[in-house]
Amino acid sequence: MRDRRRRAWTVVVPVKPAHLGKSRLDLPGVDRIALARAIALDTIEAAAAVARVVVVTADPHLGAPDVEVVLEPEPRGIAAAISDGLHVAPAGHRAVLLGDLPGLRPGDLAEALELAEDTRLGAVPDEERQGTTLVTAREGDLPSAFGPGSWQLHRAAGFVELPVPVSSTLRRDVDHADHLVGTLGPRTTAVLGRVL
């Protein structure tokens, strides 16, 4: 029963190659490339605990157990990556999750996907309500508008806000060093030199 529910949703995670990702995370004494890759892998692992995951990336080091990887020959932008991921995802329950949620708890994603069962097009804003961390489609096409001001763009496109709690780790994406707060995934924690 649990595995059947886990596989009900396919979650596409587009990820920039680590050398291009998280360019604003310049922390003294921290390898930015290693940190960007750790953030993505922590996000992917959390998502894979509750859904089928398709990662689309030009980074050959972003594979994980039980995760399908669509390897781009070169990065072509988030819209192209999402399109490639949705192309291989089965019809039905599909979602797109950004790969910069290193503190994501699987239960928080599972809760959002359960809420999405009642919504044709659902979305979750980040803490600042400027960006979007997750979009979902119960059936049919899954349009998306990630980039600057994506939350308003998704709302204008007909997405309905999924009522996840304000405290949900699904809202805590990382754009700046100030966002690296709270409990983080094991890989991110290791790169930052913290103790779990």
Side-chain angles (χ1 to χ4, degrees), residues 14-192:
V15 183
K16 285 182 181 180
H19 71 281
L20 297 176
K22 298 296 133 195
S23 58
R24 290 176 284 180
L25 285 183
D26 191 11
L27 300 171
V30 175
D31 182 332
R32 183 187 57 78
I33 293 175
L35 180 60
R37 189 170 286 136
I39 287 171
L41 286 169
D42 281 337
T43 305
I44 291 163
E45 184 175 274
V50 297
R52 176 185 176 187
V53 172
V54 176
V55 176
V56 185
T57 184
D59 187 338
H61 303 290
L62 284 178
D66 297 324
V67 168
E68 181 176 354
V69 177
V70 175
L71 195 60
E72 301 175 291
E74 61 183 28
R76 297 184 297 127
I78 190 168
I82 290 170
S83 177
D84 289 348
L86 292 174
H87 182 72
V88 303
H93 292 42
R94 299 187 296 173
V96 176
L97 176 74
L98 294 192
D100 60 352
L101 298 157
L104 180 63
R105 290 192 298 261
D108 287 349
L109 177 58
E111 179 182 16
L113 295 177
E114 188 170 335
L115 291 167
E117 295 276 357
D118 299 322
T119 306
R120 163 68 187 94
L121 292 173
V124 176
D126 61 17
E127 284 186 312
E128 290 83 13
R129 299 184 70 81
Q130 299 296 317
T132 310
T133 62
L134 175 76
V135 294
T136 65
R138 186 180 57 207
E139 59 193 6
D141 292 337
L142 176 51
S144 62
F146 287 101
S150 68
W151 178 239
Q152 291 304 320
L153 293 173
H154 283 121
R155 291 302 302 268
F159 285 83
V160 174
E161 181 172 356
L162 298 174
V164 303
V166 173
S167 61
S168 173
T169 56
L170 193 53
R171 295 186 184 273
R172 296 189 198 138
D173 59 340
V174 171
D175 292 318
H176 305 283
D178 291 348
H179 293 157
L180 289 166
V181 296
T183 302
L184 301 170
R187 294 172 183 81
T188 305
T189 298
V191 171
L192 292 173

